[in-house]
Amino acid sequence: IFPKKKIDQDALKVMLVDLSTYYIKEDDNREYNVVEPPLGLMSLVSFINNHSKLSQKVNFKILKSFIDFNSHEELVEKINEFSPDLLGFRTMTFYRTFFHEAIDIIRKANVTTPIIVGGPYPTASHVDVLKDKNIDLAVIAEGEITFSEILEEMIKNNKKFPSKEVLSTIDGVAFRKN
């Protein structure tokens, strides 16, 4: 049973995207193409909805590559339709090139929404991940509490991404100082 959640009309809009499956083309003949649900993102949203005071203040949308969109252009279209206040991306190390390419295309499509990243790749390689100037913040390791704190700060700050001074008070994040 998944009860319908009440969401405030002016809720913070957060789109979470799992980029851990390549796009599939009609002529694709890969025998190995495992598609798994975005369990990490689902768990993150469940934690915030069930264990924090943010439940009604945040409107989440979760997307999975290949399932919810099957091209960079479709991803940009989904972002523009939802018009999020914050974008979160998750990927595994195996998909790192695909991940950076997708984020680059999003920025080239004039999406200026702050981008935070998490999951196995950003956790294991946050120094390399943050060399990508398109990414604003990396959440390291299990990030439920950290992510909740970021969302709380955005709500307090009229849906604006926290300043570097504020971010430096939150455990479990990495970002560029300059």
Side-chain angles (χ1 to χ4, degrees):
I1 297 174
F2 297 98
K4 186 94 170 143
K5 176 182 124 170
K6 283 180 128 180
I7 300 172
D8 292 347
Q9 194 168 1
D10 65 336
L12 182 71
K13 293 170 72 176
V14 178
M15 180 177 277
L16 300 174
V17 181
D18 186 320
L19 288 171
S20 293
T21 303
Y22 291 120
Y23 305 138
I24 305 298
K25 309 284 188 267
E26 279 186 41
D27 60 346
D28 195 342
N29 61 1
R30 280 182 272 185
E31 291 182 26
Y32 181 77
N33 200 0
V34 177
V35 179
E36 298 175 337
L39 296 176
L41 298 180
M42 293 164 69
S43 175
L44 184 65
V45 170
S46 292
F47 174 84
I48 291 169
N49 285 340
N50 296 313
H51 303 289
S52 77
K53 57 189 174 212
L54 299 175
S55 178
Q56 296 180 346
K57 297 178 181 182
V58 183
N59 181 8
F60 287 104
K61 183 172 191 91
I62 298 175
L63 300 177
K64 169 79 174 168
S65 54
F66 173 59
I67 301 300
D68 299 302
F69 58 94
N70 197 35
S71 69
H72 295 317
E73 295 75 24
E74 286 180 18
L75 174 56
V76 169
E77 186 178 310
K78 297 278 186 187
I79 292 168
N80 288 332
E81 285 172 7
F82 188 65
S83 189
D85 301 301
L86 181 65
L87 282 165
F89 288 90
R90 172 221 187 262
T91 200
M92 298 185 302
T93 304
F94 182 80
Y95 298 96
R96 68 184 175 273
T97 302
F98 176 62
F99 166 83
H100 287 288
E101 179 183 292
I103 291 173
D104 186 54
I105 288 171
I106 289 164
R107 290 297 193 213
K108 286 178 178 170
N110 297 317
V111 174
T112 60
T113 306
I115 293 177
I116 64 173
V117 298
Y121 170 51
T123 294
S125 305
H126 66 274
V127 172
D128 290 333
V129 167
L130 291 172
K131 290 177 183 174
D132 185 336
K133 303 280 190 217
N134 294 315
I135 295 170
D136 298 294
L137 180 77
V139 175
I140 310 303
E142 298 300 320
E144 292 88 353
I145 294 171
T146 301
F147 191 56
S148 295
E149 289 180 31
I150 294 165
L151 297 177
E152 286 174 14
E153 291 297 335
M154 286 188 71
I155 290 167
K156 283 196 290 192
N157 196 27
N158 199 25
K159 300 182 182 179
K160 290 185 178 47
F161 197 68
S163 68
K164 292 186 183 206
E165 294 77 28
V166 170
L167 290 173
S168 67
T169 68
I170 299 174
D171 291 332
V173 298
F175 56 93
R176 289 179 304 283
K177 296 263 183 195
N178 50 7

